[in-house]
Amino acid sequence: MSAVTDEQDALTGLHVAVLGPGGVGGLLAALLARAGAAVTCLASAGTADRLRTAGVRVQSGQFGDFTTPVDAAERLTTPVDVVFVCVKATHLDDALDRVPADVPGDALVVPLLNGVEHVGLLRRRYPEAGVVPATIRVESTRTEPGVVQHGSPFVTVDLVAVGGLEQRVRRLAGALHQAGVTTRVGDDEQAALWSKLNFLAPLALLTTAAQATAGEVRESRREDLVAIVGEVAAVARAEGAPADEEQVVDFFDGVPAGMRSSMQRDAAAGRPIELDAIGGAVVRAATRHGIAVPVTARYVDELRARY
């Protein structure tokens, strides 16, 4: 995985569509638009009207507080260079109706969703497009339509260049870097997807079950934390991805103590949670490989019964 720091003028003429301008999509839309990209947000009629009128307002310790104008529509009607898919996994099927299969053409389709199973779905739906496996690490929340609160002191995007897409993916990485996003490009799809899930699964499952912060659960549920990290790592290795349990636990110990997972916030607000895309995906992959994941499965079952 290599960091991108030397791309020049990657934003010139770049037209980006953002499907789902929420906490993640809204932040990326605002940063890219502020840096000079042409950005169109795809959302419901009410949200699209609000965005066209007022733009996206970001409140961020890292980037400051700013508002930037964006275009917005209910559906994508013209080709673009990049489509960022930033909706929750629970809303993916319905949201994709805003991007008709014949419109993106050979655009890069970059899903920034939790889980691992959506990449295949997008490749089937958009066979002419270049689907780029990707992950984002950030704590960012939409507090109301067009308003994003960015709470983490970082935004890191990992992109995977496969199938002859390296030049275009590196241009996109350069654009993100110019917009202020730490961006890395790699060539191992499974490594990128499972390295995030190895951290996200324990974070989401533990914080949601306990309705507590990362700092609280890494102390009060330490044994379960270590167990889930180890179980997901075993599944990741079976899927062909490298996994280092000790490194993941160290990273978990280093995140801000007050960090909360998006699954936890959704559960607290009474919204559908991404349990199936995160914990369910681990359990399904474990079953395929005949790997026992008792602690992960216990939390998945508990949360499924509760929510």
Side-chain angles (χ1 to χ4, degrees), residues 149 153 232 253 273:
Q149 187 175 66
V232 180
D253 285 339
I273 63 173

Side-chain angles (χ1 to χ4, degrees), residues 17 80-85 99 101 103-112 118-134 159-170 172 189:
V80 293
D81 299 304
V82 182
V83 179
F84 283 106
V85 182
V99 185
V103 174
D106 67 349
L108 297 182
V109 175
V110 184
L112 296 172
H118 54 270
V119 174
L121 183 154
L122 291 170
R123 285 176 173 152
R124 291 189 295 274
R125 186 178 180 93
Y126 304 108
E128 296 180 10
V131 176
V132 179
L159 303 171
V160 180
V162 295
L165 298 175
E166 183 174 1
Q167 184 175 355
R168 296 170 65 198
V169 170
R170 287 199 172 275
L172 173 59
E189 179 173 330

Side-chain angles (χ1 to χ4, degrees), residues 17 19 40 42-43 73-80 83 85 92-109 121-122 124-129:
L19 177 61
T40 300
L42 304 173
E74 291 183 70
R75 289 166 63 88
L76 186 66
T77 58
T78 58
V80 293
V83 179
V85 182
L92 180 60
D93 288 341
D94 290 339
L96 290 178
D97 289 340
R98 301 192 188 282
V99 185
D102 60 341
V103 174
D106 67 349
L108 297 182
V109 175
L121 183 154
L122 291 170
R124 291 189 295 274
R125 186 178 180 93
Y126 304 108
E128 296 180 10

Side-chain angles (χ1 to χ4, degrees), residues 113-204:
L113 281 76
N114 292 326
V116 295
E117 296 170 334
H118 54 270
V119 174
L121 183 154
L122 291 170
R123 285 176 173 152
R124 291 189 295 274
R125 186 178 180 93
Y126 304 108
E128 296 180 10
V131 176
V132 179
T135 63
I136 187 168
R137 290 174 173 84
V138 65
E139 184 180 13
S140 188
T141 306
R142 187 190 84 156
T143 55
E144 59 182 280
V147 180
V148 175
Q149 187 175 66
H150 170 220
S152 59
F154 55 83
V155 184
T156 301
V157 169
D158 287 326
L159 303 171
V160 180
V162 295
L165 298 175
E166 183 174 1
Q167 184 175 355
R168 296 170 65 198
V169 170
R170 287 199 172 275
R171 183 193 175 198
L172 173 59
L176 288 167
H177 175 73
Q178 287 178 247
V181 178
T182 300
T183 310
R184 301 175 295 189
V185 177
D187 59 5
D188 190 329
E189 179 173 330
Q190 296 296 345
L193 295 173
W194 280 94
S195 65
K196 179 179 179 181
L197 195 58
N198 209 167
F199 165 73
L200 178 62
L203 175 71

Side-chain angles (χ1 to χ4, degrees), residues 206-213 216 260 263-265 267-268 306-307:
L206 292 168
T207 58
T208 306
Q211 276 302 302
T213 66
E216 291 167 332
R260 299 178 183 273
M263 184 191 288
Q264 176 190 6
R265 292 193 296 271
R306 191 190 306 179
Y307 299 107

Side-chain angles (χ1 to χ4, degrees), residues 207-225:
T207 58
T208 306
Q211 276 302 302
T213 66
E216 291 167 332
V217 299
R218 67 193 177 203
E219 295 181 6
S220 65
R221 302 198 180 205
R222 186 76 180 183
E223 185 175 338
D224 287 350
L225 165 61

